[in-house]
Amino acid sequence: MRREQEFIDDLYTRVDALRGGTEASVTDALAQGSTPMQARLERDVLVAERSGLLAALNAVDGSLCFGRIDLATGPAPDGDGAGPGGPVHHIGRIGIRADDAERTPVLIDWRAPVARPFYLATGHTPMGLRRRRHITTEGRTVTALHDEILDLGDRRRTGHEDPTGDAVLLAALDSARTGRMSDIVQTIQAEQDRIIRAPHRGVLVVEGGPGTGKTAVALHRAAYLLYEHRELLARRAVLIVGPNPAFLGYIGEVLPSLGETGVLLATVGELYPGVRATASDTPAAAAVKGRADMADVLAAVVRDRQALPDPVIAVEHDRDVLMLDAGLVRVARERTRALGLPHNVAREHFEGHILNTLTDMLAERIGTDPFDGTNLLDPSDITQIRDDLADNPGVWSAVDRLWPRVTPRRLVADFLAAPDAHLSPADADAVRRTVTRAWTTADVPLLDEAAELLGEDDRVTRAAAEQERDRQVAYAQGVLDVSYASRTYEFEDLDAEDAEVLSAHDIIDAERMAERHEEDDHRSAAERAAADRTWAFGHIIVDEAQELSPMAWRLLMRRSPTRSMTLVGDPAQTAEAAGTGSWADILRPYVDDRWEHARLAVNYRTPSEIMDVAAAVPRAERPDFEPPGSVRSTGVRPWARESSDLPGAVEKAVAELTPVEGRLGVIAPRELHGPLAARLGGVVAGEEPDLTRRVVLLDPRQAKGLEFDAVLVAEPGRFGTSDLYVALTRATQTLGIVHTEPLPAPLAAALAQTA
């Protein structure tokens, strides 16, 4: 252990020096101020690279090194277990190199190919290893070593051998929860490693029951892909979509702990820039809004905005009145629709058709010879008439009535206020909302669909940008003129040879000077992606993917034109009314059958005693249901208590179950949260629970993807099958149930059988 501590001390000495040098280089670069173009570009690249390195070093400060592999052949190692054998490689969360000329690796990044045997080697297939060592640290102090002998013919021992090879994994599984997910980089199992390192092109579906580590695998896959395809994914960013804000907070520290800080984490309700879903829908409303045919409904709503006169629109121009009737406007509308452009973008073409129609009408009226019917106007006269009409406010008032500019928020809000023309009476009643002060998660895909159908008429934006550009060029020209005038005055008494000295006016023009002084966008790719609805991500990871509606999938597929995605979920846990429990149904419209499927079959979270009870719930509806197999048993069986005083029973059970270390999750129907929070004291009920508290109150939807040392389920009879299955499988140690109403029959039978 002494030699490992010496290595750790040396490693952190290097890290501290690297961190200090990185901070200094960033500070020096930013202090350079205005520089020539090439130097400025080099400075910005340096700042971006070093800032990313500094963020990674700061995020991965603790437990930087966690393992070592000893190769079976090569030069003798210098360390614990020294003797004939091969070189050793220390494995860590990020890679560190020496500052020598060869840039010798000091610490191997866990994602590097040379580190892979640490996760896959066995005694049967040692992959060239003699020994695998797990190094446990607290801060910068080595606290434990666990060795696994992989070369079964090697008789040397260090005194740190782990006979089963499972000590580190089981210690991690039994450790107290903190309210934040930690990485599993030290304990990645072989089946998980194969998924983490799978090729990133195309769609990979990772399916697994509760506790199989789906989310952890997905997050480590994101870190691996960013390592393996850094240039592409750092530029295009990786998007991770979670089911709710509490879940994103729960997983938010995993990727930074692996040195990755440039990933965008969001819920579906946060994927429309400028909107954050804070309101809730009824299950019926969410189901209607999430249906695939809502895309057709919104398209029809947009077409309704492309109106016809009823019966005519009169446009006054000078002393004439021009009549736009339904027939004339219909021709203009159909010609515009035939272009297939989004509504707001197509408006420019509709305007042109209407102006041409009015121009022809007026030209025929004022330019026709009354004797022979010929038109006496030449092309310049026609152009002048059109220009005059274009300056007529009455023309634009007519266009606004017939083809108005519409924003996505206005379109969706108007539709929800009056949906009757496009939905059945029952569906219209479900989604009707006359006042839209807050948006729901199910509204966000509708907003995104509306934005796609409407497009953006950017003529005003382009005109403003051009005006600002002209202003900057004019300012730059003024600076150059002043420079030229000063040079002329300074050198007017010099001879011709001395006067050949160049000034700024000689080597740069105003346009290039303006370009140099444009403000740089120093935002990360993830920050820019969050503000851009049309951003195309390099890779998208979706957790609890089975819960997303068809409309939500349309939104996500727009963000991934290359269809590079990892989808994580469990159809058995589908609870949302708009969710799609079949992977084939989700993916068929986008990739047909061109997707890969991987399954995780081992439950690392839930003890077998709890899993036996929980599995009975879905098995009552699906007799062939097989849960993932638990790797451990605690000997503590789940229990249930009936009481006439539910808040009192919950209060008593919480006092019994609250662990000395770790977290207790109380999972109850949402309507009971108020009374329970009032009785428990200090426990907060809300949309976004604080998972770092010792006792957390949630409903099953909020508990998805989370885990607690102990769980108390209240009134399970009010939960649906999937919600109850989720609630029963969140505990790593202990499960209790309190109820006043009868237990669901499958749960009652399973509890009786284990008693």
Side-chain angles (χ1 to χ4, degrees):
M1 188 177 293
R2 177 176 58 83
R3 291 187 179 275
E4 294 295 3
Q5 184 62 62
E6 290 174 353
F7 172 82
I8 295 295
D9 291 341
D10 177 69
L11 177 66
Y12 277 106
T13 298
R14 295 176 184 273
V15 169
D16 290 340
L18 184 60
R19 181 186 287 116
T22 301
E23 289 177 341
S25 64
V26 171
T27 302
D28 291 345
L30 291 175
Q32 289 178 21
S34 179
T35 62
M37 183 176 292
Q38 181 64 29
R40 184 179 177 186
L41 176 61
E42 293 173 355
R43 180 202 69 182
D44 291 345
V45 171
L46 173 67
V47 169
E49 290 180 349
R50 295 300 177 89
S51 296
L53 175 60
L54 185 60
L57 290 172
N58 290 335
V60 193
D61 190 39
S63 302
L64 182 58
C65 174
F66 59 81
R68 192 183 93 177
I69 52 177
D70 298 13
L71 277 64
T73 59
D78 180 17
D80 291 349
V88 302
H89 297 303
H90 283 84
I91 314 298
R93 285 171 167 78
I94 61 174
I96 302 292
R97 291 180 177 270
D99 55 3
D100 55 23
E102 291 78 19
R103 301 289 292 154
T104 306
V106 176
L107 186 68
I108 303 297
D109 193 300
W110 68 275
R111 297 163 288 189
V114 71
R116 197 172 191 195
F118 182 82
Y119 300 108
L120 298 184
T122 65
H124 183 268
T125 309
M127 300 180 69
L129 299 190
R130 183 173 61 87
R131 180 192 314 274
R132 170 170 48 217
R133 166 169 289 175
H134 293 269
I135 303 172
T136 304
T137 59
E138 290 184 8
R140 301 186 177 192
T141 302
V142 178
T143 58
L145 303 177
H146 292 86
D147 286 347
E148 297 175 64
I149 304 300
L150 299 173
D151 180 356
L152 301 182
D154 188 347
R155 300 300 179 186
R156 288 161 296 173
R157 297 295 180 264
T158 65
H160 302 294
E161 281 72 25
D162 172 13
T164 66
D166 294 332
V168 175
L169 173 62
L170 293 176
L173 298 179
D174 288 332
S175 63
R177 270 43 190 173
T178 64
R180 292 288 181 263
M181 177 183 279
S182 58
D183 65 66
I184 61 167
V185 65
Q186 190 171 359
T187 58
I188 292 172
Q189 303 300 294
E191 67 165 0
Q192 297 171 330
D193 184 81
R194 283 189 287 272
I195 294 172
I196 290 170
R197 298 176 193 262
H200 94 288
R201 295 294 183 186
V203 177
L204 173 65
V205 173
V206 182
E207 182 179 330
T212 54
K214 301 184 298 298
T215 299
V217 166
L219 294 173
H220 287 70
R221 176 164 169 75
Y224 170 76
L225 293 177
L226 283 163
Y227 173 86
E228 191 73 6
H229 308 280
R230 175 73 61 188
E231 184 176 351
L232 170 64
L233 296 185
R235 185 174 66 251
R236 299 309 310 165
V238 172
L239 169 65
I240 297 179
V241 180
N244 54 60
F247 175 83
L248 295 181
Y250 176 65
I251 69 172
E253 296 177 3
V254 174
L255 285 168
S257 75
L258 299 174
E260 299 299 344
T261 57
V263 176
L264 177 62
L265 279 69
T267 65
V268 170
E270 297 168 331
L271 287 178
Y272 188 87
V275 169
R276 188 171 186 271
T278 56
S280 299
D281 272 316
T282 64
V288 173
K289 293 177 182 179
R291 290 194 316 233
D293 63 4
M294 284 302 297
D296 297 328
V297 169
L298 288 177
V301 173
V302 171
R303 286 194 298 272
D304 286 350
R305 295 299 183 102
Q306 299 161 4
L308 296 176
D310 184 21
V312 296
I313 294 178
V315 178
E316 296 184 5
H317 185 72
D318 292 338
R319 298 174 182 173
D320 290 288
V321 177
L322 306 176
M323 296 294 186
L324 283 172
D325 60 29
L328 292 172
V329 174
R330 183 178 288 108
V331 171
R333 184 175 72 173
E334 296 310 313
R335 287 178 178 174
T336 304
R337 286 178 174 177
L339 298 173
L341 297 172
H343 173 87
N344 289 333
V345 177
R347 175 184 159 114
E348 183 175 1
H349 298 274
F350 181 77
E351 294 168 359
H353 287 307
I354 293 299
L355 279 172
N356 289 341
T357 298
L358 293 173
T359 299
D360 292 343
M361 192 184 302
L362 188 56
E364 182 179 359
R365 183 176 301 179
I366 67 176
T368 302
D369 189 313
F371 299 104
D372 58 13
T374 60
N375 198 301
L376 304 177
L377 302 178
D378 60 28
S380 63
D381 295 327
I382 302 296
T383 300
Q384 185 60 51
I385 291 173
R386 195 180 193 278
D387 291 343
D388 291 343
L389 284 167
D391 290 334
N392 185 341
V395 173
W396 298 110
S397 176
V399 171
D400 287 338
R401 291 172 58 186
L402 300 171
W403 199 288
R405 292 188 182 89
V406 188
T407 66
R409 298 191 200 194
R410 184 73 270 154
L411 185 85
V412 174
D414 290 348
F415 163 67
L416 294 177
D420 305 82
H422 299 280
L423 298 176
S424 69
D427 290 347
D429 289 341
V431 304
R432 193 187 320 278
R433 194 161 78 240
T434 55
V435 178
T436 311
R437 291 196 179 95
W439 299 100
T440 70
T441 297
D443 291 334
V444 169
L446 302 185
L447 290 168
D448 196 71
E449 188 74 26
E452 199 73 10
L453 292 166
L454 293 171
E456 183 179 356
D457 185 353
D458 63 350
R459 284 177 291 172
V460 174
T461 304
R462 283 189 282 114
E466 187 64 31
Q467 185 177 9
E468 175 62 18
R469 168 73 175 166
D470 291 343
R471 187 193 66 78
Q472 291 177 350
V473 170
Y475 178 81
Q477 186 63 57
V479 172
L480 292 174
D481 290 344
V482 171
S483 172
Y484 181 73
S486 299
R487 172 182 175 277
T488 303
Y489 175 78
E490 181 179 351
F491 292 107
E492 61 183 1
D493 295 329
L494 298 179
D495 57 33
E497 182 177 348
D498 291 336
E500 289 298 320
V501 178
L502 296 176
S503 71
H505 198 284
D506 299 310
I507 61 177
I508 192 171
D509 59 24
E511 290 194 2
R512 291 184 61 195
M513 186 174 181
E515 288 175 0
R516 287 191 177 189
H517 289 81
E518 289 177 355
E519 290 188 8
D520 294 323
D521 187 349
H522 292 295
R523 294 177 300 169
S524 68
E527 291 170 331
R528 285 182 281 122
D532 185 354
R533 191 194 69 82
T534 63
W535 188 273
F537 288 91
H539 193 78
I540 295 179
I541 293 175
V542 186
D543 206 331
E544 301 294 347
Q546 77 281 350
E547 302 290 4
L548 269 60
S549 70
M551 288 300 293
W553 282 114
R554 288 177 65 87
L555 178 153
L556 286 179
M557 291 299 175
R558 291 190 191 102
R559 303 320 195 256
S560 180
T562 61
R563 303 294 188 258
S564 179
M565 309 178 83
T566 301
L567 313 182
V568 181
D570 178 14
Q573 298 184 61
T574 305
E576 296 293 339
T580 307
S582 165
W583 302 120
D585 290 346
I586 291 171
L587 296 172
R588 188 178 298 112
Y590 306 103
V591 296
D592 197 19
D593 60 353
R594 300 184 304 278
W595 51 280
E596 300 293 328
H597 183 270
R599 184 172 180 83
L600 295 169
V602 179
N603 187 333
Y604 299 98
R605 175 205 302 146
T606 317
S608 58
E609 293 85 355
I610 296 176
M611 205 63 207
D612 290 343
V613 171
V617 174
R619 191 176 287 134
E621 296 181 356
R622 294 167 45 201
D624 61 343
F625 174 76
E626 284 299 328
S630 299
V631 298
R632 65 196 178 98
S633 169
T634 60
V636 180
R637 296 177 177 178
W639 52 261
R641 253 178 230 160
E642 186 174 8
S643 173
S644 59
D645 175 17
L646 185 72
V650 169
E651 182 181 24
K652 180 179 178 182
V654 165
E656 296 174 5
L657 287 173
T658 302
V660 176
E661 292 183 87
R663 300 294 181 271
L664 166 66
V666 179
I667 303 178
R670 180 62 65 89
E671 64 270 16
L672 298 180
H673 283 198
L676 293 180
R679 187 65 174 264
L680 293 175
V683 176
V684 179
E687 292 291 335
E688 299 183 21
D690 182 357
L691 301 178
T692 62
R693 289 177 174 267
R694 294 290 301 279
V695 180
V696 184
L697 180 61
L698 320 92
D699 63 30
R701 309 292 172 90
Q702 294 172 317
K704 270 186 174 293
L706 308 182
E707 58 183 34
F708 303 90
D709 299 271
V711 168
L712 180 66
V713 179
E715 294 296 15
R718 299 191 188 184
F719 298 150
T721 299
S722 60
D723 281 345
L724 180 54
Y725 184 52
V726 169
L728 296 174
T729 54
R730 300 302 100 192
T732 66
Q733 302 292 337
T734 310
L735 172 66
I737 299 168
V738 294
H739 61 104
T740 61
E741 303 169 5
L743 293 175
L747 177 59
L751 288 168
Q753 187 174 0
T754 61

